[in-house]
Amino acid sequence: MPDPTSDLYPPKRNETYTLDRPITDEKVNGNYNNFYEFGSQKTIASTAQALKTRPWMIKIDGLVEKPFEIGIDDLIRKVGIEERTYRHRCVEAWSMAIAWSGFPLAKLVKLARPLGSAKISADADLHGSQDRLRAEADLVSLALYRRGLRWRKRPTILAFLATGAYGHPIAKQHGAPIRLAVPWKYGFKSVKSIVHFTFTDQRPKTYWEALQAQEYGFWANVNPEVPHPRWSQASEEVIGHRGTAADDEVQRLRRIRRRSLQRPRKQRAAVGISPLR
């Protein structure tokens, strides 16, 4: 079934948002993804095709004037879309450059009409219910996947809700039919396949923060000077594009790590080797 909003793509690019690097090739991007609902490996694109993205309702509630639900197609046509080019930086020390299509989070906030005390938006996914996801992805264990963003008066203009990429509706492995894109934060803050926005005056306990707060904290701002507890953030692997000294160094370290992991388990433990995420 064709996407009901496909006639809106490609939208006009907003030239305010430009990059210092080329856009990552779509085929590369489409086959290197973190979407743990469909597996812990990067090659989840084929598995993710089981995700059913229509019908898709989004619930908006909490500290708002009037809670409501809206279908994804109605939402997209109501607010309109544009294209922005953003960097995407993963906490695993790799990055891409992506041409997202969608709309600023501020437009959804305006539509929601939050009360004055609402300072945080907590958005949860897992596609509506655990039963639905089990049927789609055959997962063993599931938990509510929640993300939170905080603002003072209004969301930053950079916060973006992506409904498309590369000039057409967003692919399932990227978090169809709607996901968050916040380029100043590590990628695990960009929740995928959103079904629920809650406005609250309390900071939510987010999914990865609950699992390991030391490594995946609430704020998660990209900062090369602040290392992850298990690896440096001073350099990054630019996926699909090599040529800088930093990229070559990352590749060299990854080769060393792969060779090291071929040692027997006891030898790895003796020298403190663990898998590079």
Side-chain angles (χ1 to χ4, degrees):
M1 176 182 174
D3 188 292
T5 62
S6 59
D7 60 299
L8 300 177
Y9 299 87
K12 183 178 179 180
R13 177 170 294 184
N14 187 333
E15 296 296 345
T16 302
Y17 305 93
T18 58
L19 293 174
D20 59 351
R21 62 190 63 191
I23 300 297
T24 303
D25 182 86
E26 184 175 7
K27 289 183 179 179
V28 173
N29 191 345
N31 289 282
Y32 195 90
N33 312 103
N34 281 336
F35 203 158
Y36 288 104
E37 290 87 337
F38 296 106
S40 59
Q41 71 279 10
K42 294 292 188 289
T43 53
I44 53 81
S46 59
T47 308
Q49 300 314 302
L51 175 62
K52 298 177 178 63
T53 59
R54 296 298 189 282
W56 194 277
M57 299 298 295
I58 297 172
K59 184 177 182 180
I60 297 174
D61 63 10
L63 298 177
V64 296
E65 288 185 7
K66 186 178 180 180
F68 64 95
E69 290 189 59
I70 186 170
I72 182 62
D73 302 319
D74 293 334
L75 175 62
I76 291 173
R77 293 189 183 278
K78 189 177 186 68
V79 299
I81 59 174
E82 63 182 58
E83 184 177 79
R84 294 185 180 185
T85 56
Y86 275 177
R87 287 183 60 186
H88 178 88
R89 177 67 150 81
C90 183
V91 73
E92 298 168 345
W94 58 263
S95 70
M96 295 187 187
I98 307 168
W100 295 117
S101 302
F103 55 92
L105 175 63
K107 285 192 174 183
L108 182 131
V109 172
K110 184 178 180 180
L111 190 66
R113 296 184 179 181
L115 304 178
S117 57
K119 299 296 182 183
I120 303 169
S121 171
D123 39 27
D125 73 347
L126 278 189
H127 327 303
S129 73
Q130 293 186 359
D131 290 339
R132 178 179 177 183
L133 187 57
R134 281 197 182 95
E136 292 168 351
D138 192 28
L139 292 181
V140 176
S141 63
L142 297 168
L144 184 66
Y145 196 91
R146 175 173 286 129
R147 283 289 167 263
L149 283 180
R150 180 173 182 170
W151 59 83
R152 291 198 173 109
K153 293 184 178 179
R154 61 184 63 85
T156 171
I157 59 173
L158 287 174
F160 198 65
L161 288 169
T163 61
Y166 297 94
H168 47 73
I170 193 167
K172 293 180 178 182
Q173 64 266 33
H174 293 321
I178 183 170
R179 63 164 290 161
L180 185 65
V182 281
W184 74 99
K185 293 184 179 292
Y186 290 118
F188 69 87
K189 291 291 287 187
S190 295
V191 61
K192 300 178 177 73
S193 304
I194 302 168
V195 297
H196 189 188
F197 290 90
T198 296
F199 291 80
T200 174
D201 57 2
Q202 301 295 316
R203 198 181 93 176
K205 192 76 170 180
T206 59
Y207 178 83
W208 286 105
E209 182 185 15
L211 286 179
Q212 185 55 274
Q214 263 193 320
E215 299 194 7
Y216 310 106
F218 178 84
W219 301 108
N221 294 319
V222 176
N223 188 342
E225 297 180 1
V226 178
H228 184 278
R230 290 185 284 134
W231 55 80
S232 171
Q233 296 289 11
S235 62
E236 63 185 26
E237 179 184 5
V238 182
I239 302 299
H241 175 73
R242 295 188 60 193
T244 67
D247 296 337
D248 291 339
E249 177 64 10
V250 170
Q251 294 286 0
R252 185 184 71 82
L253 293 174
R254 283 178 179 268
R255 286 194 296 270
I256 292 172
R257 183 63 62 90
R258 282 195 294 268
R259 288 197 296 269
S260 299
L261 288 172
Q262 293 173 2
R263 299 180 183 182
R265 185 178 295 273
K266 288 184 179 180
Q267 290 184 25
R268 298 205 306 265
V271 295
I273 295 171
S274 61
L276 183 64
R277 294 174 62 89

PDB file of all heavy atoms in Angstrom, residues 243-257:
ATOM      1  N   GLY A 243      38.327   9.215   5.018  1.00  0.00           N
ATOM      2  CA  GLY A 243      39.252  10.148   4.421  1.00  0.00           C
ATOM      3  C   GLY A 243      39.925  11.053   5.427  1.00  0.00           C
ATOM      4  O   GLY A 243      40.961  11.630   5.147  1.00  0.00           O
ATOM      5  N   THR A 244      39.352  11.194   6.625  1.00  0.00           N
ATOM      6  CA  THR A 244      39.979  12.030   7.631  1.00  0.00           C
ATOM      7  C   THR A 244      40.861  11.175   8.518  1.00  0.00           C
ATOM      8  O   THR A 244      40.676   9.963   8.649  1.00  0.00           O
ATOM      9  CB  THR A 244      38.932  12.741   8.496  1.00  0.00           C
ATOM     10  OG1 THR A 244      38.246  11.741   9.272  1.00  0.00           O
ATOM     11  CG2 THR A 244      37.927  13.493   7.652  1.00  0.00           C
ATOM     12  N   ALA A 245      41.800  11.805   9.154  1.00  0.00           N
ATOM     13  CA  ALA A 245      42.699  11.079  10.052  1.00  0.00           C
ATOM     14  C   ALA A 245      41.920  10.446  11.193  1.00  0.00           C
ATOM     15  O   ALA A 245      42.212   9.328  11.622  1.00  0.00           O
ATOM     16  CB  ALA A 245      43.761  12.031  10.597  1.00  0.00           C
ATOM     17  N   ALA A 246      40.899  11.167  11.694  1.00  0.00           N
ATOM     18  CA  ALA A 246      40.094  10.629  12.792  1.00  0.00           C
ATOM     19  C   ALA A 246      39.367   9.367  12.354  1.00  0.00           C
ATOM     20  O   ALA A 246      39.302   8.380  13.096  1.00  0.00           O
ATOM     21  CB  ALA A 246      39.089  11.676  13.269  1.00  0.00           C
ATOM     22  N   ASP A 247      38.817   9.374  11.133  1.00  0.00           N
ATOM     23  CA  ASP A 247      38.123   8.194  10.618  1.00  0.00           C
ATOM     24  C   ASP A 247      39.080   7.006  10.516  1.00  0.00           C
ATOM     25  O   ASP A 247      38.746   5.880  10.899  1.00  0.00           O
ATOM     26  CB  ASP A 247      37.538   8.465   9.232  1.00  0.00           C
ATOM     27  CG  ASP A 247      36.464   9.534   9.266  1.00  0.00           C
ATOM     28  OD1 ASP A 247      35.891   9.740  10.341  1.00  0.00           O
ATOM     29  OD2 ASP A 247      36.224  10.144   8.218  1.00  0.00           O
ATOM     30  N   ASP A 248      40.291   7.252   9.999  1.00  0.00           N
ATOM     31  CA  ASP A 248      41.269   6.179   9.853  1.00  0.00           C
ATOM     32  C   ASP A 248      41.661   5.606  11.210  1.00  0.00           C
ATOM     33  O   ASP A 248      41.845   4.400  11.358  1.00  0.00           O
ATOM     34  CB  ASP A 248      42.515   6.697   9.131  1.00  0.00           C
ATOM     35  CG  ASP A 248      42.226   7.022   7.666  1.00  0.00           C
ATOM     36  OD1 ASP A 248      41.237   6.489   7.137  1.00  0.00           O
ATOM     37  OD2 ASP A 248      42.990   7.807   7.080  1.00  0.00           O
ATOM     38  N   GLU A 249      41.768   6.489  12.206  1.00  0.00           N
ATOM     39  CA  GLU A 249      42.137   6.019  13.541  1.00  0.00           C
ATOM     40  C   GLU A 249      41.040   5.150  14.140  1.00  0.00           C
ATOM     41  O   GLU A 249      41.320   4.111  14.755  1.00  0.00           O
ATOM     42  CB  GLU A 249      42.412   7.224  14.449  1.00  0.00           C
ATOM     43  CG  GLU A 249      42.748   6.871  15.903  1.00  0.00           C
ATOM     44  CD  GLU A 249      44.046   6.076  16.038  1.00  0.00           C
ATOM     45  OE1 GLU A 249      44.794   5.946  15.045  1.00  0.00           O
ATOM     46  OE2 GLU A 249      44.310   5.586  17.150  1.00  0.00           O
ATOM     47  N   VAL A 250      39.803   5.547  13.961  1.00  0.00           N
ATOM     48  CA  VAL A 250      38.688   4.735  14.460  1.00  0.00           C
ATOM     49  C   VAL A 250      38.694   3.367  13.801  1.00  0.00           C
ATOM     50  O   VAL A 250      38.516   2.341  14.454  1.00  0.00           O
ATOM     51  CB  VAL A 250      37.338   5.451  14.235  1.00  0.00           C
ATOM     52  CG1 VAL A 250      36.174   4.508  14.520  1.00  0.00           C
ATOM     53  CG2 VAL A 250      37.237   6.674  15.129  1.00  0.00           C
ATOM     54  N   GLN A 251      38.888   3.350  12.467  1.00  0.00           N
ATOM     55  CA  GLN A 251      38.934   2.072  11.752  1.00  0.00           C
ATOM     56  C   GLN A 251      40.072   1.204  12.270  1.00  0.00           C
ATOM     57  O   GLN A 251      39.929  -0.023  12.427  1.00  0.00           O
ATOM     58  CB  GLN A 251      39.092   2.317  10.247  1.00  0.00           C
ATOM     59  CG  GLN A 251      37.898   2.992   9.602  1.00  0.00           C
ATOM     60  CD  GLN A 251      36.723   2.040   9.458  1.00  0.00           C
ATOM     61  OE1 GLN A 251      36.802   0.879   9.842  1.00  0.00           O
ATOM     62  NE2 GLN A 251      35.627   2.518   8.901  1.00  0.00           N
ATOM     63  N   ARG A 252      41.229   1.806  12.536  1.00  0.00           N
ATOM     64  CA  ARG A 252      42.377   1.053  13.043  1.00  0.00           C
ATOM     65  C   ARG A 252      42.053   0.426  14.401  1.00  0.00           C
ATOM     66  O   ARG A 252      42.333  -0.751  14.648  1.00  0.00           O
ATOM     67  CB  ARG A 252      43.594   1.973  13.169  1.00  0.00           C
ATOM     68  CG  ARG A 252      44.878   1.252  13.580  1.00  0.00           C
ATOM     69  CD  ARG A 252      46.013   2.237  13.771  1.00  0.00           C
ATOM     70  NE  ARG A 252      45.823   3.044  14.956  1.00  0.00           N
ATOM     71  CZ  ARG A 252      46.147   2.645  16.194  1.00  0.00           C
ATOM     72  NH1 ARG A 252      46.663   1.436  16.386  1.00  0.00           N
ATOM     73  NH2 ARG A 252      45.959   3.438  17.219  1.00  0.00           N
ATOM     74  N   LEU A 253      41.439   1.218  15.281  1.00  0.00           N
ATOM     75  CA  LEU A 253      41.088   0.715  16.609  1.00  0.00           C
ATOM     76  C   LEU A 253      40.049  -0.396  16.529  1.00  0.00           C
ATOM     77  O   LEU A 253      40.094  -1.360  17.290  1.00  0.00           O
ATOM     78  CB  LEU A 253      40.572   1.869  17.481  1.00  0.00           C
ATOM     79  CG  LEU A 253      41.611   2.930  17.850  1.00  0.00           C
ATOM     80  CD1 LEU A 253      40.943   4.084  18.571  1.00  0.00           C
ATOM     81  CD2 LEU A 253      42.717   2.328  18.711  1.00  0.00           C
ATOM     82  N   ARG A 254      39.106  -0.248  15.586  1.00  0.00           N
ATOM     83  CA  ARG A 254      38.102  -1.301  15.427  1.00  0.00           C
ATOM     84  C   ARG A 254      38.742  -2.607  14.944  1.00  0.00           C
ATOM     85  O   ARG A 254      38.351  -3.695  15.375  1.00  0.00           O
ATOM     86  CB  ARG A 254      37.007  -0.852  14.454  1.00  0.00           C
ATOM     87  CG  ARG A 254      36.019   0.120  15.075  1.00  0.00           C
ATOM     88  CD  ARG A 254      34.981   0.568  14.077  1.00  0.00           C
ATOM     89  NE  ARG A 254      34.037   1.480  14.697  1.00  0.00           N
ATOM     90  CZ  ARG A 254      32.888   1.114  15.260  1.00  0.00           C
ATOM     91  NH1 ARG A 254      32.553  -0.161  15.275  1.00  0.00           N
ATOM     92  NH2 ARG A 254      32.089   2.010  15.792  1.00  0.00           N
ATOM     93  N   ARG A 255      39.731  -2.508  14.046  1.00  0.00           N
ATOM     94  CA  ARG A 255      40.409  -3.711  13.567  1.00  0.00           C
ATOM     95  C   ARG A 255      41.151  -4.395  14.710  1.00  0.00           C
ATOM     96  O   ARG A 255      41.143  -5.624  14.838  1.00  0.00           O
ATOM     97  CB  ARG A 255      41.368  -3.358  12.418  1.00  0.00           C
ATOM     98  CG  ARG A 255      40.670  -3.051  11.096  1.00  0.00           C
ATOM     99  CD  ARG A 255      41.668  -3.057   9.955  1.00  0.00           C
ATOM    100  NE  ARG A 255      42.660  -2.001  10.086  1.00  0.00           N
ATOM    101  CZ  ARG A 255      42.509  -0.772   9.579  1.00  0.00           C
ATOM    102  NH1 ARG A 255      41.403  -0.454   8.928  1.00  0.00           N
ATOM    103  NH2 ARG A 255      43.452   0.130   9.726  1.00  0.00           N
ATOM    104  N   ILE A 256      41.808  -3.580  15.544  1.00  0.00           N
ATOM    105  CA  ILE A 256      42.517  -4.134  16.693  1.00  0.00           C
ATOM    106  C   ILE A 256      41.542  -4.841  17.621  1.00  0.00           C
ATOM    107  O   ILE A 256      41.792  -5.944  18.109  1.00  0.00           O
ATOM    108  CB  ILE A 256      43.274  -3.020  17.452  1.00  0.00           C
ATOM    109  CG1 ILE A 256      44.425  -2.493  16.590  1.00  0.00           C
ATOM    110  CG2 ILE A 256      43.794  -3.533  18.797  1.00  0.00           C
ATOM    111  CD1 ILE A 256      45.109  -1.277  17.161  1.00  0.00           C
ATOM    112  N   ARG A 257      40.393  -4.207  17.873  1.00  0.00           N
ATOM    113  CA  ARG A 257      39.404  -4.789  18.762  1.00  0.00           C
ATOM    114  C   ARG A 257      38.850  -6.097  18.196  1.00  0.00           C
ATOM    115  O   ARG A 257      38.662  -7.075  18.917  1.00  0.00           O
ATOM    116  CB  ARG A 257      38.278  -3.784  19.011  1.00  0.00           C
ATOM    117  CG  ARG A 257      37.210  -4.259  19.991  1.00  0.00           C
ATOM    118  CD  ARG A 257      37.800  -4.492  21.382  1.00  0.00           C
ATOM    119  NE  ARG A 257      38.339  -3.283  21.939  1.00  0.00           N
ATOM    120  CZ  ARG A 257      37.622  -2.432  22.681  1.00  0.00           C
ATOM    121  NH1 ARG A 257      36.371  -2.689  22.933  1.00  0.00           N
ATOM    122  NH2 ARG A 257      38.177  -1.348  23.164  1.00  0.00           N
TER     123      ARG A 257
END
